[in-house]
Amino acid sequence: MGNMPLFVFFKDIRNVFKADELRLEIVHIALPTLLALLADPVASLVDTAFVGHIGPVELAAVGISIAVFNQVSKIAIFPLVSITTSFVAEEDTTEELRANEQVHEKIESGTPISKEMEMEELVPLVGKSSSTEMVKIERVRRHIPSASSALVVGSVLGVIQAVFLIFAANPVLNYMGVDSNSPMLKPARQYLTLRSLGAPAVLLSLAVQGVFRGFKDTKTPLYATIVGDVANIILDPILMFVFHMGVRGAAIAHVISQYLISLILLWKLNKQVDLLTSGVKDLRFGQFLKNGFLLLVRVIAATFCVTLAAALAARQGPTTMAAFQVCLQIWLAASLLADGLAVAGQAILASAFARKDHSKAVATASRVLQLALVLGLMLSIILTVVLQFGSRIFTKDVNVLHLISLGIPFVAVTQPINALAFVFDGVNYGASDFAYSAYSMASFGGFSEHIVPISIIKPWLCWNLGCFICLYEFARTGWILEDRNGDGTVELS
């Protein structure tokens, strides 16, 4: 039974809530990540609520602009962050093992340990005497080539994205169904062009977050994100209503918050990592591009359906687009909670692979998948109960509320499969198996285009079709973690 592909769901299932060392490590990484990931969608929900009280046209305009911005951003963000986390976790673990070996060699040879070699841990020193002394060691700033690579790639992609969206705003919005006669065109163009100025900060900050995740430090990104989002929430009403800037105020507030987050993260990262000493030959651009292309396929497949649905909703008018925007933000805020578990699984697995720790890799994969299923069921119940009564905080328009009521049940009941999909990705990325995730949802955007007439539920149908295919492949191919050679080397099969 242990070799059956679905056995991973039942392995040590009685320990799913056990407060052992593995669960504490998962919680230590996942909870701050979960809160940080939740902070941005919550800030977007606050933006949506503020804009919704200006009017349905403005709400729809902001919705279509956010759909465009997110589609372009995710093409770069998702591969960049995921690859950075895995590469940094591997390099950091390898460097730690190498440093420990050097320290132990010096201890055994009696060589004095210099101040710059000190690390924040106690290493046992066993001498000729019967007593065991403890040597306090503190690590110098890390030399992580992937961190420098991620910052360069993120900065370049951010500038490219900003230039593209600013100069192509009109044709892109026209493609999305906002033509020159639409009342949404002016506010949508204002919001999109202003928010695009923050693209370099968005990609740079997320690249840095990928580095911290690789270090299993998810608290620092959480604190930075909270500071930025609080600034966004405070600036929103001031710029929108006090200075009467409308949707422009919402965009400017968001841009300011993103640059604030970037500055905080760069300041903290520079204390831990030597960012400037790596030569060009040490940077991992080749591996970033190779694996980034694989994840790019997955991102385009996953987000194409959402962008397509937004375009169809925009063509149906401001009412449908406004309802779509509210449902989409609710779905993102709920579904991304599972990404906290995915990040925890990815970071722990990448470290376990670097250490060739087969048992921990298998235990981690089982535990995060089991917790994902539990989280998905809980989200289904919460969304079903809460959102039937909470939709009015976004708008008071009766027609918009009616369309929202059509989308909410589907958003709620699909949460378990969404949660599993996110965590499956985290497990694959932890094993640096980026190719597998690239093939799970390739052909379903166009398929759903022909079978789903209601654009309000189209993106969730597309997403879940892809997730079901991933689960089917899991069961059909025997996708399991195994030690094929008996030497502790863990592989996906």
Side-chain angles (χ1 to χ4, degrees), residues 366-381:
S366 298
R367 187 71 63 88
V368 293
L369 287 170
Q370 293 162 3
L371 290 173
L373 184 59
V374 173
L375 175 63
L377 293 172
M378 291 175 58
L379 285 173
S380 290
I381 297 172

Side-chain angles (χ1 to χ4, degrees), residues 94-157:
T94 301
E95 182 181 333
E96 181 183 345
L97 292 173
R98 186 184 302 115
N100 285 340
E101 290 177 2
Q102 293 175 352
V103 168
H104 282 288
E105 287 176 0
K106 290 191 175 185
I107 291 174
E108 291 175 359
S109 63
T111 304
I113 301 176
S114 61
K115 290 286 184 181
E116 57 270 16
M117 284 290 294
E118 295 183 353
M119 302 175 63
E120 289 182 349
E121 59 179 288
L122 293 178
V123 177
L125 172 60
V126 181
K128 295 181 179 180
S129 62
S130 59
S131 62
T132 300
E133 301 179 26
M134 302 300 290
V135 178
K136 185 178 180 181
I137 306 187
E138 181 181 344
R139 183 190 291 179
V140 295
R141 287 203 304 172
R142 297 169 168 95
H143 174 69
I144 308 292
S146 290
S148 302
S149 304
L151 296 186
V152 174
V153 173
S155 301
V156 172
L157 291 177

Side-chain angles (χ1 to χ4, degrees), residues 164-493:
F164 170 75
L165 288 177
I166 290 172
F167 288 98
N170 274 353
V172 169
L173 289 172
N174 290 338
Y175 176 78
M176 295 292 289
V178 184
D179 57 35
S180 57
N181 297 320
S182 173
M184 294 185 290
L185 179 60
K186 182 178 179 180
R189 183 176 59 238
Q190 290 176 340
Y191 187 89
L192 181 58
T193 53
L194 286 172
R195 182 162 175 173
S196 297
L197 295 174
V202 171
L203 269 76
L204 184 59
S205 66
L206 287 169
V208 179
Q209 289 186 45
V211 176
F212 278 111
R213 290 177 184 179
F215 294 154
K216 300 182 184 179
D217 176 8
T218 52
K219 290 183 180 179
T220 299
L222 170 62
Y223 298 148
T225 302
I226 289 176
V227 171
D229 286 341
V230 168
N232 184 22
I233 293 171
I234 293 174
L235 289 172
D236 262 344
I238 295 175
L239 297 178
M240 292 172 65
F241 303 117
V242 176
F243 290 97
H244 306 288
M245 299 179 71
V247 296
R248 292 178 300 156
I252 293 172
H254 195 89
V255 169
I256 292 174
S257 70
Q258 292 302 317
Y259 277 99
L260 180 60
I261 293 171
S262 295
L263 289 174
I264 294 173
L265 288 174
L266 281 173
W267 174 61
K268 297 293 290 184
L269 182 63
N270 191 52
K271 291 184 175 182
Q272 301 184 34
V273 178
D274 193 355
L275 298 175
L276 302 177
T277 57
S278 297
V280 175
K281 63 179 181 179
D282 292 331
L283 300 179
R284 304 182 65 178
F285 291 137
Q287 289 175 293
F288 267 80
L289 293 175
K290 176 184 175 181
N291 292 292
F293 176 77
L294 291 172
L295 289 188
L296 180 62
V297 174
R298 183 204 179 282
V299 172
I300 293 175
T303 58
F304 170 75
C305 53
V306 178
T307 304
L308 177 63
L312 293 175
R315 289 186 173 91
Q316 294 180 23
T319 300
T320 303
M321 186 60 222
F324 173 84
Q325 165 65 3
V326 172
C327 286
L328 181 61
Q329 291 302 323
I330 292 171
W331 180 76
L332 288 173
S335 297
L336 287 177
L337 292 175
D339 211 18
L341 283 175
V343 170
Q346 179 182 4
I348 298 173
L349 278 168
S351 178
F353 283 134
R355 296 177 184 274
K356 298 183 179 181
D357 189 343
H358 171 254
S359 60
K360 185 168 185 178
V362 175
T364 300
S366 298
R367 187 71 63 88
V368 293
L369 287 170
Q370 293 162 3
L371 290 173
L373 184 59
V374 173
L375 175 63
L377 293 172
M378 291 175 58
L379 285 173
S380 290
I381 297 172
I382 293 172
L383 291 178
T384 301
V385 174
V386 173
L387 293 180
Q388 295 299 329
F389 309 98
S391 301
R392 292 185 178 274
I393 66 174
F394 301 105
T395 181
K396 295 181 180 178
D397 188 287
V398 176
N399 294 324
V400 175
L401 288 171
H402 172 67
L403 288 178
I404 290 175
S405 68
L406 297 177
I408 285 176
F410 197 84
V411 173
V413 300
T414 55
Q415 288 307 308
I417 196 71
N418 290 338
L420 285 174
F422 276 106
V423 175
F424 268 125
D425 281 343
V427 171
N428 280 302
Y429 302 156
S432 294
D433 186 2
F434 301 104
Y436 187 88
S437 294
Y439 306 134
S440 62
M441 297 176 14
S443 61
F444 295 98
F447 175 70
S448 67
E449 166 68 14
H450 299 289
I451 66 171
V452 188
I454 305 175
S455 64
I456 198 71
I457 67 172
K458 185 184 298 294
W460 298 284
L461 181 63
C462 298
W463 171 260
N464 284 281
L465 281 172
C467 297
F468 276 120
I469 289 298
C470 183
L471 289 174
Y472 169 76
E473 286 297 311
F474 175 86
R476 184 182 68 84
T477 62
W479 177 86
I480 56 173
L481 290 162
E482 62 176 12
D483 184 2
R484 290 179 176 176
N485 304 319
D487 58 359
T489 303
V490 189
E491 300 179 359
L492 287 176
S493 63

